[in-house]
Amino acid sequence: MHIAFLTLNYPTPARPTVGTFVQQFVWAMARQGHRCSVINPASLHHKRFGALPPEASTEQAGQGSQVAVYRPRFLSLSSRDCGVFHTGRWTQRVLNSVSIRAVRKLPSKPDIVYGHFLYHCGRNATVVGNRLGIPSVIGVGEGTFWTVKPFGFRRARRDFATTTGFIAVASHIRQGLVDQIGVAPEKILLAPNGVDLSRFVAQDRQAIRRELKIPTDLFLIAFVGTFDDLKGGTELVQATSGLDGVGLAMIGQGDKLFEGPQIIHRGRLRHDMIPKWLSAADIFVLPTREEGSCNAVIEALACGLPIVTSSGDYMNDIVDDQVALRVDPTDVQAIRQAIITLKNDPERRTAMARACLEKAGTLDINKRAQRVTQWLEALVQPGRVE
């Protein structure tokens, strides 16, 4: 199939870590033999991060496959609440026009169009699909449908009534699509996010620590996420304060400035460096308060790291009691006790590490791409949606 992917979340030379999970999914689909064209509209405001990305480029997706990336320019009106009106609605109109023109300029007409997140690009996909007479699919990863709020759920029910299908990355999202957006259950595929097991793999801990100049006797905790109030970095720093022999690798970026003598790394890393830091760690901790299907946790599983994460239902599809200790993400003492429990029990960590690798095998991104492919093939033949 020829699949046109519409997304605002995709890596660029100036922002190489943005949307890597979308890129990895597109590459996995390309490795299934599909022709994949990415439409990644580039806002003129992108200049604040550096030079605008090239308008057209080609990516190597592995196994001899390629992905074509197109970045038509547009003037974003942002997504701000102005009282009686929300600028996100204007931005949606602009993106609809940009996306239609970009898809029409592709060398061949797509068989299906895929949008990531309900707004703005999921709506783009629906509009393009309607205009060109092809199926439209939306990958829904918003744990609380935060992209819908500027538009309202009543409008969303109208906007997505003609969407052909939805890929929900978690059970709570699937239920939300039914209850809040009015989507028929048979139009939804439940498919948690996946990990590229050729990239994220457990490596020799001591060898990696020597390479990264990390003390071999340090009990290292890895955190990967945005530095904000939702991901729980503040609670993690508080929970590890004063713990002897404990170090923190805080991988990410954001508005929060984490400080403490236990922090040995703070800041973003190239995506190819994250597996090394995960392999160097003893456990992975992410007391997140909201998720769709957490790529960071899945990547940690693939590196064999025991997990400490949240007890919310938004983690149920990717972790269980064999791989994770679940805590209230707002309870600093509970997070601290879970860390101490694993620190003091190396045999339990070893058993959990084995279970993590087994769990990661069920979250292989290539297997996910195979499953999505079978579902998409049914969508392009009416009457065969499974």
Side-chain angles (χ1 to χ4, degrees):
M1 288 182 289
H2 179 193
I3 308 172
F5 292 88
L6 308 181
T7 179
L8 292 175
N9 293 290
Y10 207 79
T12 66
R15 305 181 75 192
T17 62
V18 172
T20 53
F21 64 99
V22 179
Q23 183 185 57
Q24 293 301 311
F25 173 61
V26 173
W27 287 5
M29 293 299 288
R31 291 193 295 271
Q32 296 298 309
H34 303 301
R35 179 179 179 182
C36 296
S37 301
V38 175
I39 309 297
N40 175 222
S43 168
L44 297 179
H45 298 311
H46 186 93
K47 290 182 179 179
R48 70 184 185 273
F49 303 111
L52 289 175
E55 293 192 46
S57 60
T58 302
E59 299 176 340
Q60 303 301 317
Q63 299 177 10
S65 59
Q66 295 182 331
V67 170
V69 183
Y70 303 93
R71 293 187 172 95
R73 292 0 186 182
F74 80 106
L75 180 61
S76 172
L77 299 168
S78 191
S79 186
R80 300 178 185 277
D81 190 351
C82 296
V84 297
F85 197 81
H86 199 287
T87 64
R89 299 185 181 187
W90 289 335
T91 299
Q92 183 69 65
R93 292 178 183 176
V94 173
L95 282 170
N96 288 346
S97 297
V98 168
S99 299
I100 290 171
R101 289 197 301 270
V103 173
R104 281 179 168 165
K105 288 181 180 178
L106 293 176
S108 64
K109 182 180 177 180
D111 297 297
I112 196 163
V113 60
Y114 169 103
H116 192 77
F117 288 159
L118 288 167
Y119 292 99
H120 296 283
C121 291
R123 177 56 181 162
N124 289 162
T126 303
V127 170
V128 171
N130 290 343
R131 190 70 60 89
L132 300 185
I134 59 177
S136 58
V137 169
I138 304 175
V140 189
E142 309 99 296
T144 57
F145 294 159
W146 52 269
T147 67
V148 175
K149 293 177 182 177
F151 299 86
F153 286 94
R154 179 179 298 178
R155 174 170 174 171
R157 284 174 173 258
R158 297 195 307 268
D159 282 350
F160 301 114
T162 58
T163 307
T164 313
F166 300 79
I167 301 173
V169 301
S171 297
H172 70 289
I173 291 177
R174 178 178 59 182
Q175 193 61 48
L177 286 170
V178 174
D179 295 341
Q180 297 177 264
I181 311 296
V183 178
E186 61 269 18
K187 294 177 68 172
I188 306 171
L189 173 69
L190 175 62
N193 288 335
V195 60
D196 187 343
L197 296 177
S198 69
R199 293 171 176 263
F200 285 84
V201 58
Q203 303 176 46
D204 182 271
R205 178 175 288 114
Q206 297 308 320
I208 293 296
R209 287 197 176 196
R210 287 192 295 269
E211 177 184 341
L212 299 177
K213 297 180 172 54
I214 299 172
T216 58
D217 60 346
L218 185 69
F219 185 78
L220 181 61
I221 300 169
F223 167 100
V224 180
T226 309
F227 293 175
D228 59 17
D229 290 328
L230 291 179
K231 293 294 184 178
T234 297
E235 286 77 12
L236 174 57
V237 173
Q238 293 173 352
T240 55
S241 177
L243 289 181
D244 291 337
V246 171
L248 284 180
M250 303 294 292
I251 302 169
Q253 60 183 342
D255 296 332
K256 293 288 184 179
L257 181 61
F258 302 128
E259 296 182 338
Q262 72 273 40
I263 299 175
I264 68 167
H265 172 86
R266 179 182 61 206
R268 72 180 189 182
L269 292 171
R270 296 195 319 268
H271 198 242
D272 63 324
M273 286 298 296
I274 294 177
K276 288 191 174 185
W277 278 86
L278 291 178
S279 293
D282 292 285
I283 64 172
F284 182 85
V285 181
L286 188 74
T288 175
R289 302 186 189 191
E290 176 186 319
E291 288 294 337
S293 177
C294 186
N295 291 277
V297 167
I298 297 171
E299 291 169 354
L301 290 171
C303 292
L305 280 186
I307 308 294
V308 175
T309 194
S310 311
S311 53
D313 61 359
Y314 46 85
M315 301 301 292
N316 288 346
D317 290 302
I318 60 173
V319 299
D320 54 39
D321 293 341
Q322 301 301 308
V323 302
L325 300 186
R326 310 282 293 276
V327 297
D328 178 345
T330 67
D331 190 335
V332 172
Q333 282 304 120
I335 298 168
R336 183 183 182 92
Q337 187 55 55
I339 291 170
I340 293 172
T341 296
L342 292 180
K343 181 176 183 293
N344 292 340
D345 195 343
E347 291 185 2
R348 183 173 186 178
R349 295 201 309 271
T350 299
M352 290 178 71
R354 288 195 297 267
C356 287
L357 295 176
E358 292 179 8
K359 186 71 172 180
T362 69
L363 298 166
D364 181 347
I365 197 168
N366 292 307
K367 293 179 180 178
R368 181 180 193 260
Q370 291 172 4
R371 187 168 173 229
V372 171
T373 290
Q374 293 172 353
W375 186 72
L376 293 182
E377 288 174 344
L379 283 186
V380 299
Q381 301 180 48
R384 289 189 55 205
V385 178
E386 297 176 358

